[in-house]
Amino acid sequence: MRARRFFATLSFALGILLPVRGATEAPTALVARIDGEAVRCLAPVSEHDCARTVLQSLQGRAQRAYIVRHGLQATDAEIQALRSYNRAFEAHDRNQRARKLRELEARLSDVALSAEDRTRLQNFRAILVRLARYEADVDAGLEQIEPVPEEALKHWVERSKLDQALYRQYGGIVGVAASGLYPHGARAALVIDYLADCDCDFIDHRLEPRVRAALADSPRMVFRGAMPDFTPFWKRAIEPSYMRD
C-alpha cells in the first residue's frame, strides 16, 4: 500500500502542532538569521540538533525560491492527476484484497495445511476481514475517509518537479529512500549556492561548519545504476500485484 503509506506519512509531516493553552514555552536561543528572519533552537543549544534545524530552514527556503524562480509550482491539472491516481490505486487495492481474501478462504479449507501455515494465514485473513468491514461501513456512510489535504498533494507534485530540475542542473550522487530515488547531491548543491547568495548570519558560530559538513554527507543508500529515473509514482502504471502471503 505504497501510496497510502506515503500519504499518511506526508499528512503527519505537514500537520500543524497547535500550542496547548497554559503550557509553558520551552526556552529558545537565537542561533542564526537567514535573509533577516530569525532561526531559533531549544536552549541550551545542542550543536547536532540545532544544526539540523538550521539546515532544514535553509533547505526549505532554497527549494521554495528555486520553485518560484523556475515556475515549478503545482498546477491544478497536476494535482488532479495525482488525485486520479490515488483513487485508481485505492480501487485496485480494494479489489486485490478481496481477491486475496477469497484465495485465503480456499487455502484454509485444505485439511493438510500445517498448523504453522494455518495460523499465519488466519492472521492475514483477520486483517483483510477488518479492512473489508471498514470499507463496507464507509460505503454505508457509517465511516468517513478524510481526503488527502490539497497542501500535501501540492507539496508532492512540486517536490517531484524540483528533484528532476535539480538533477538536470547539478547532477551528483543519487540516494535511495522508501519513496524512491532522490537527487541527494543536487539538493545539497542548491543549498550551497543559496548560502553563497543569501544574507545568512550564523550567530552561533559553531553551527556553520556543522551545517556544511552535513551538506557533504553521503546518503544512507546510494543509487548505483547508470541513469536514475525520477518519474513520480502517479505517472507510473499501477503494479498488478504487490501482496505476498
Side-chain angles (χ1 to χ4, degrees):
M1 303 178 187
R2 177 182 57 189
R4 180 177 297 166
R5 285 198 302 269
F6 161 70
F7 284 123
T9 302
L10 185 58
S11 296
F12 175 81
L14 294 176
I16 299 174
L17 301 180
L18 299 178
V20 179
R21 291 185 180 180
T24 302
E25 292 187 3
T28 61
L30 177 64
V31 297
R33 290 189 184 278
I34 303 175
D35 289 332
E37 294 195 19
V39 179
R40 308 185 71 88
C41 290
L42 290 175
V45 172
S46 159
E47 286 186 49
H48 176 270
D49 293 343
C50 190
R52 184 168 56 183
T53 296
V54 175
L55 179 56
Q56 288 173 344
S57 180
L58 285 166
Q59 288 172 329
R61 292 169 183 276
Q63 291 173 6
R64 174 47 50 186
Y66 192 96
I67 287 170
V68 172
R69 184 166 67 252
H70 293 277
L72 302 178
Q73 297 91 335
T75 66
D76 291 342
E78 289 167 334
I79 293 174
Q80 183 55 42
L82 180 48
R83 285 194 188 279
S84 296
Y85 175 93
N86 193 35
R87 287 193 297 268
F89 182 90
E90 291 296 332
H92 173 75
D93 185 38
R94 185 170 182 172
N95 291 335
Q96 187 172 207
R97 283 187 279 107
R99 175 186 55 77
K100 178 57 76 174
L101 185 56
R102 292 191 298 270
E103 290 179 6
L104 290 178
E105 296 290 359
R107 293 180 64 181
L108 286 167
S109 67
D110 183 359
V111 295
L113 199 62
S114 70
E116 181 182 354
D117 284 345
R118 184 171 299 278
T119 298
R120 177 173 56 84
L121 296 179
Q122 285 174 336
N123 290 338
F124 191 6
R125 180 181 62 179
I127 293 171
L128 296 181
V129 167
R130 284 198 298 271
L131 287 170
R133 287 173 179 167
Y134 172 73
E135 287 171 338
D137 287 343
V138 171
D139 292 343
L142 302 176
E143 294 281 358
Q144 289 187 337
I145 298 178
E146 292 297 323
V148 178
E150 176 109 354
E151 192 62 27
L153 299 174
K154 177 182 176 182
H155 172 86
W156 196 238
V157 169
E158 291 181 351
R159 169 52 61 89
S160 173
K161 295 167 73 174
L162 172 68
D163 281 349
Q164 293 179 64
L166 289 179
Y167 188 74
R168 284 195 299 270
Q169 178 173 346
Y170 293 104
I173 192 169
V174 174
V176 183
S179 57
L181 304 183
Y182 66 98
H184 180 91
R187 289 181 184 179
L190 174 66
V191 177
I192 292 170
D193 281 356
Y194 185 80
L195 273 168
D197 294 334
C198 75
D199 181 12
C200 299
D201 179 16
F202 286 87
I203 296 168
D204 187 330
H205 298 292
R206 301 172 300 169
L207 298 179
E208 183 172 5
R210 277 189 170 269
V211 168
R212 292 189 179 275
L215 288 168
D217 282 347
S218 294
R220 292 182 180 179
M221 293 183 63
V222 177
F223 172 72
R224 302 295 185 185
M227 185 63 65
D229 183 359
F230 297 107
T231 302
F233 66 84
W234 64 92
K235 292 186 177 181
R236 298 176 184 267
I238 296 175
E239 297 177 7
S241 179
Y242 60 85
M243 283 190 177
R244 300 291 184 268
D245 53 39

